[in-house]
Amino acid sequence: AYQPERVDSFELGAKWQTGDGRLAIQATLFQSEVANMQREINVPSATSGLAQSIFNTADARIRGGEFEVTARPAEGLSLTASVGHIDARYTAVKFDINSYGAINAADLLVDLPRAPRWTWGLGGSYRASLGTQAALTLRADFQHRSRFAYTDNNWGWNSASDRLDASVTLDL
């Protein structure tokens, strides 16, 4: 049996843009307090060898911020840049998170899974009219995500990753 998980989330943000819409800025700060965090934990099973059970493993605090700028310096051209930061930490432990055989202060040092510290991106698009009815749009976006744990005990990690997306769209 396990207790309900409780999350208290707070967010503060601001948006601003010029009167002509050529420059826009957005900024956000957030914090979440998680009590009785529920996790699926692999445990030994006499019948199947391994079973997954849900446990209240810890309490955690997740805070961070995001910042984004969009500029439209010329007709049809749009440029974007963004950055995000997450600071996710355990504040109390109720389970042997790091799988070392004891519940202790070392469990507080384990990274929360699926919480990359940094993300950032750049993008741009250009739309050109082709006569009175058609238009051609070229778009490219680059995104970076820093290394992050994908298992609760931090035995598995996703490497930092970069992604480039590009597209060409013809509207008729």
Side-chain angles (χ1 to χ4, degrees):
Y2 51 91
Q3 300 299 312
E5 181 178 88
R6 178 182 168 158
V7 180
D8 293 325
S9 294
F10 309 92
E11 185 171 327
L12 176 67
K15 294 181 180 183
W16 175 85
Q17 78 173 23
T18 58
D20 61 4
R22 293 172 73 84
L23 180 65
I25 298 172
Q26 297 182 56
T28 305
L29 297 173
F30 58 86
Q31 180 164 319
S32 295
E33 300 287 340
V34 184
N36 291 321
M37 181 180 288
Q38 296 175 0
R39 290 287 194 225
E40 291 180 356
I41 304 295
N42 292 326
V43 294
S45 168
T47 56
S48 65
L50 188 65
Q52 282 189 335
S53 295
I54 296 176
F55 291 93
N56 296 108
T57 59
D59 296 340
R61 180 203 30 83
I62 303 164
R63 66 171 59 138
E66 298 173 342
F67 183 77
E68 182 176 327
V69 176
T70 302
R72 294 177 184 85
E75 182 67 32
L77 179 62
S78 179
L79 305 171
T80 60
S82 64
V83 64
H85 178 69
I86 295 177
D87 178 25
R89 299 179 187 274
Y90 290 110
T91 57
V93 291
K94 304 168 186 183
F95 193 85
D96 179 22
I97 298 171
N98 62 12
S99 302
Y100 288 165
I103 300 171
N104 58 34
D107 291 298
L108 290 170
L109 302 176
V110 175
D111 285 358
L112 267 75
R114 295 170 291 284
R117 274 192 211 286
W118 291 100
T119 57
W120 60 269
L122 300 169
S125 66
Y126 181 73
R127 181 178 173 89
S129 295
L130 303 174
T132 59
Q133 299 287 332
L136 180 69
T137 302
L138 308 173
R139 177 163 195 85
D141 292 291
F142 176 83
Q143 292 291 318
H144 172 80
R145 182 171 55 190
S146 64
R147 174 181 187 255
F148 64 95
Y150 70 84
T151 61
D152 288 300
N153 60 13
N154 289 187
W155 290 2
W157 288 83
N158 279 343
S159 299
S161 63
D162 297 320
R163 187 180 77 201
L164 178 64
D165 293 317
S167 66
V168 176
T169 305
L170 178 62
D171 294 320
L172 300 175

